[in-house]
Structures are given as structure tokens and as C-alpha cells.
Amino acid sequence: MRLSGIVFLAIGAVVAIASFLLSAQGQKMKLFMFVGIAMAVFGAIRFYVDRTVQPEQVDERRAKMASDLPHVHRPLSEIPRVCSTCHTKNNPKANFCGHCGHKL
Ligand SMILES: [Zn+2]
């Protein structure tokens, strides 16, 4: 399971806040503060993208599955006739293979 954006957001926020509190002691922590902010922003974007993009990906997967099952989802006239000899996909209306001439 990959890390979700909310994890980056939380870690980034903690790093940013901790660095901000520690930066009172010197300038060195400012870099960490920027890193933490960057991480939090990255996490927020990722969290947003994960929420918005994933349903589309599921739809794509469903569409792919549907196209993998031509017998169920496509009318018979659209199914390419695959040659039993050379496995070439031919026009659905073809009677002979366009590649090797074998009767379909
Ligand atoms: Zn053929």
C-alpha cells in the first residue's frame, strides 16, 4: 500500500511547525521549515489528486475490462474474425483471412 497524501501532509506540517519553533534558536532550521512546508503542500496536492483521479482510473479499468470481453459488450458484427491459422484479426464481414487466405 502506497503512502497517502494525508501522511505527507501530516509529516510536512509536523516538520514545518517543529522547525518553526526551533528556528528561534538559529537560522539553520529555516531550510527544514521550507522542506516541511513543501512536503505538506505536496501531501495536500497528492491527497486532492488521489481523491479526484482514482474514480476515473476505476472507470478506465472497467472500460478496459469491457473491451476485453467483446462477446458480452459488443454486437456480433463488430467482433474481428481472428484467423485460426495465423491469428490475424480480420474484418468482421470477411470470409477469408486477409493475411494467409484461410477460410474463416
Ligand atoms: Zn490467416
Side-chain angles (χ1 to χ4, degrees), residues 3-4 10-11 13 15-16 21-22 26 34 39 49-50 68 74 78 82-84 90-91 95-97 99 104:
L3 284 172
S4 65
I11 294 169
V15 170
L21 294 173
L22 290 166
F34 285 121
M39 212 166 157
V49 168
D50 278 356
D68 285 346
R74 277 202 250 165
E78 283 178 24
V82 179
C83 176
S84 59
N90 288 283
N91 191 296
N95 291 319
F96 296 94
C97 174
H99 185 252
L104 295 171

Short mmCIF file of all heavy atoms in Angstrom, two decimals, residues 3-4 10-11 13 15-16 21-22 26 34 39 49-50 68 74 78 82-84 90-91 95-97 99 104:
data_model
loop_
_atom_site.label_atom_id
_atom_site.label_comp_id
_atom_site.label_asym_id
_atom_site.label_seq_id
_atom_site.Cartn_x
_atom_site.Cartn_y
_atom_site.Cartn_z
N LEU A 3 1.92 5.30 0.35
CA LEU A 3 1.60 6.34 1.32
C LEU A 3 0.59 7.30 0.73
O LEU A 3 0.73 7.75 -0.40
CB LEU A 3 2.87 7.11 1.69
CG LEU A 3 3.85 6.40 2.63
CD1 LEU A 3 5.12 7.21 2.73
CD2 LEU A 3 3.25 6.22 4.02
N SER A 4 -0.42 7.60 1.50
CA SER A 4 -1.42 8.54 1.02
C SER A 4 -0.96 9.98 1.27
O SER A 4 -0.06 10.22 2.09
CB SER A 4 -2.76 8.28 1.71
OG SER A 4 -2.65 8.55 3.07
N ALA A 10 0.60 15.45 6.97
CA ALA A 10 0.79 15.43 8.43
C ALA A 10 2.27 15.56 8.78
O ALA A 10 2.65 16.37 9.63
CB ALA A 10 0.22 14.13 9.00
N ILE A 11 3.13 14.76 8.11
CA ILE A 11 4.57 14.80 8.39
C ILE A 11 5.13 16.18 8.05
O ILE A 11 5.89 16.76 8.83
CB ILE A 11 5.31 13.70 7.60
CG1 ILE A 11 4.89 12.30 8.09
CG2 ILE A 11 6.84 13.86 7.75
CD1 ILE A 11 5.35 11.16 7.20
N ALA A 13 3.58 19.01 7.93
CA ALA A 13 3.08 20.01 8.89
C ALA A 13 3.87 19.93 10.19
O ALA A 13 4.28 20.96 10.75
CB ALA A 13 1.59 19.77 9.13
N VAL A 15 6.95 18.70 10.61
CA VAL A 15 8.32 19.16 10.35
C VAL A 15 8.35 20.69 10.29
O VAL A 15 9.23 21.33 10.88
CB VAL A 15 8.87 18.55 9.04
CG1 VAL A 15 10.19 19.21 8.63
CG2 VAL A 15 9.07 17.04 9.20
N ALA A 16 7.37 21.28 9.58
CA ALA A 16 7.32 22.73 9.42
C ALA A 16 7.13 23.42 10.77
O ALA A 16 7.83 24.39 11.09
CB ALA A 16 6.19 23.11 8.47
N LEU A 21 9.39 26.34 15.38
CA LEU A 21 9.61 26.53 16.82
C LEU A 21 11.10 26.53 17.13
O LEU A 21 11.56 27.30 17.98
CB LEU A 21 8.89 25.42 17.61
CG LEU A 21 7.36 25.45 17.53
CD1 LEU A 21 6.77 24.22 18.19
CD2 LEU A 21 6.80 26.71 18.16
N LEU A 22 11.87 25.66 16.44
CA LEU A 22 13.30 25.56 16.68
C LEU A 22 14.09 26.68 16.01
O LEU A 22 15.22 26.96 16.39
CB LEU A 22 13.83 24.20 16.19
CG LEU A 22 13.38 22.98 17.02
CD1 LEU A 22 13.66 21.71 16.25
CD2 LEU A 22 14.07 22.96 18.37
N GLY A 26 18.09 29.67 15.89
CA GLY A 26 19.07 29.98 14.85
C GLY A 26 18.47 29.89 13.46
O GLY A 26 17.31 29.50 13.31
N PHE A 34 11.12 25.05 5.28
CA PHE A 34 10.68 25.10 3.88
C PHE A 34 10.42 23.69 3.36
O PHE A 34 9.46 23.45 2.63
CB PHE A 34 11.73 25.81 3.01
CG PHE A 34 11.72 27.30 3.19
CD1 PHE A 34 12.85 27.98 3.63
CD2 PHE A 34 10.57 28.03 2.91
CE1 PHE A 34 12.83 29.35 3.80
CE2 PHE A 34 10.55 29.41 3.08
CZ PHE A 34 11.68 30.07 3.53
N MET A 39 6.66 19.66 1.71
CA MET A 39 6.12 18.32 1.91
C MET A 39 4.62 18.38 2.20
O MET A 39 3.85 17.56 1.68
CB MET A 39 6.85 17.67 3.09
CG MET A 39 6.99 16.18 2.96
SD MET A 39 8.20 15.59 4.15
CE MET A 39 7.64 13.90 4.26
N VAL A 49 -5.40 14.97 -5.44
CA VAL A 49 -5.34 14.21 -6.69
C VAL A 49 -5.86 12.79 -6.47
O VAL A 49 -6.63 12.27 -7.28
CB VAL A 49 -3.89 14.19 -7.24
CG1 VAL A 49 -3.74 13.17 -8.36
CG2 VAL A 49 -3.50 15.58 -7.75
N ASP A 50 -5.45 12.16 -5.37
CA ASP A 50 -5.91 10.80 -5.07
C ASP A 50 -7.43 10.74 -5.01
O ASP A 50 -8.04 9.79 -5.48
CB ASP A 50 -5.33 10.32 -3.73
CG ASP A 50 -3.91 9.81 -3.89
OD1 ASP A 50 -3.44 9.77 -5.04
OD2 ASP A 50 -3.29 9.46 -2.88
N ASP A 68 -12.18 -6.01 -23.20
CA ASP A 68 -11.58 -7.34 -23.21
C ASP A 68 -12.63 -8.44 -23.37
O ASP A 68 -12.30 -9.58 -23.62
CB ASP A 68 -10.79 -7.58 -21.93
CG ASP A 68 -9.47 -6.82 -21.92
OD1 ASP A 68 -9.07 -6.35 -23.01
OD2 ASP A 68 -8.87 -6.68 -20.85
N ARG A 74 -20.04 -6.16 -27.10
CA ARG A 74 -20.09 -5.63 -28.46
C ARG A 74 -21.02 -6.47 -29.33
O ARG A 74 -21.08 -7.69 -29.19
CB ARG A 74 -18.68 -5.66 -29.07
CG ARG A 74 -17.84 -4.45 -28.66
CD ARG A 74 -16.73 -4.23 -29.65
NE ARG A 74 -15.44 -4.54 -29.07
CZ ARG A 74 -14.34 -4.72 -29.77
NH1 ARG A 74 -14.36 -4.67 -31.08
NH2 ARG A 74 -13.21 -4.99 -29.18
N GLU A 78 -19.30 -6.39 -34.90
CA GLU A 78 -18.10 -5.59 -34.66
C GLU A 78 -16.92 -6.43 -34.17
O GLU A 78 -15.83 -5.92 -34.02
CB GLU A 78 -18.41 -4.51 -33.62
CG GLU A 78 -19.18 -3.34 -34.20
CD GLU A 78 -19.50 -2.30 -33.15
OE1 GLU A 78 -18.79 -2.25 -32.14
OE2 GLU A 78 -20.46 -1.56 -33.34
N VAL A 82 -10.85 -13.61 -35.99
CA VAL A 82 -9.44 -13.98 -35.83
C VAL A 82 -9.19 -15.28 -36.58
O VAL A 82 -9.90 -16.27 -36.40
CB VAL A 82 -9.08 -14.14 -34.34
CG1 VAL A 82 -7.62 -14.55 -34.18
CG2 VAL A 82 -9.35 -12.85 -33.59
N CYS A 83 -8.19 -15.24 -37.42
CA CYS A 83 -7.82 -16.40 -38.23
C CYS A 83 -7.33 -17.53 -37.33
O CYS A 83 -6.49 -17.32 -36.45
CB CYS A 83 -6.74 -16.01 -39.23
SG CYS A 83 -6.14 -17.41 -40.20
N SER A 84 -7.84 -18.73 -37.54
CA SER A 84 -7.46 -19.88 -36.72
C SER A 84 -6.06 -20.39 -37.08
O SER A 84 -5.45 -21.11 -36.32
CB SER A 84 -8.48 -21.01 -36.87
OG SER A 84 -8.56 -21.40 -38.23
N ASN A 90 -9.24 -10.05 -38.65
CA ASN A 90 -9.79 -9.67 -39.94
C ASN A 90 -11.10 -8.91 -39.77
O ASN A 90 -11.70 -8.89 -38.69
CB ASN A 90 -10.05 -10.93 -40.77
CG ASN A 90 -8.76 -11.54 -41.25
OD1 ASN A 90 -8.14 -11.08 -42.19
ND2 ASN A 90 -8.34 -12.61 -40.57
N ASN A 91 -11.53 -8.29 -40.83
CA ASN A 91 -12.82 -7.59 -40.86
C ASN A 91 -13.93 -8.56 -40.45
O ASN A 91 -13.93 -9.72 -40.86
CB ASN A 91 -13.05 -7.09 -42.30
CG ASN A 91 -14.23 -6.14 -42.37
OD1 ASN A 91 -15.37 -6.53 -42.11
ND2 ASN A 91 -13.95 -4.90 -42.71
N ASN A 95 -14.78 -13.32 -45.17
CA ASN A 95 -14.97 -14.77 -45.17
C ASN A 95 -13.63 -15.51 -45.19
O ASN A 95 -13.55 -16.67 -44.80
CB ASN A 95 -15.81 -15.19 -46.38
CG ASN A 95 -17.25 -14.71 -46.25
OD1 ASN A 95 -17.83 -14.77 -45.17
ND2 ASN A 95 -17.81 -14.21 -47.35
N PHE A 96 -12.60 -14.82 -45.69
CA PHE A 96 -11.27 -15.42 -45.77
C PHE A 96 -10.25 -14.50 -45.08
O PHE A 96 -10.42 -13.29 -45.07
CB PHE A 96 -10.86 -15.65 -47.23
CG PHE A 96 -11.76 -16.65 -47.92
CD1 PHE A 96 -12.85 -16.21 -48.66
CD2 PHE A 96 -11.51 -18.01 -47.81
CE1 PHE A 96 -13.69 -17.12 -49.29
CE2 PHE A 96 -12.34 -18.92 -48.44
CZ PHE A 96 -13.44 -18.49 -49.18
N CYS A 97 -9.21 -15.10 -44.54
CA CYS A 97 -8.16 -14.33 -43.85
C CYS A 97 -7.41 -13.45 -44.84
O CYS A 97 -6.99 -13.93 -45.90
CB CYS A 97 -7.20 -15.29 -43.16
SG CYS A 97 -5.78 -14.45 -42.43
N HIS A 99 -4.55 -12.25 -44.45
CA HIS A 99 -3.10 -12.47 -44.35
C HIS A 99 -2.69 -13.77 -45.02
O HIS A 99 -1.76 -13.78 -45.82
CB HIS A 99 -2.69 -12.47 -42.88
CG HIS A 99 -1.22 -12.57 -42.67
ND1 HIS A 99 -0.61 -13.69 -42.18
CD2 HIS A 99 -0.22 -11.66 -42.90
CE1 HIS A 99 0.69 -13.50 -42.11
NE2 HIS A 99 0.96 -12.29 -42.54
N LEU A 104 -12.35 -18.36 -42.94
CA LEU A 104 -12.68 -18.01 -41.55
C LEU A 104 -13.97 -18.71 -41.12
O LEU A 104 -14.90 -18.83 -41.88
CB LEU A 104 -12.83 -16.49 -41.41
CG LEU A 104 -11.55 -15.68 -41.66
CD1 LEU A 104 -11.88 -14.20 -41.71
CD2 LEU A 104 -10.52 -15.92 -40.58
#
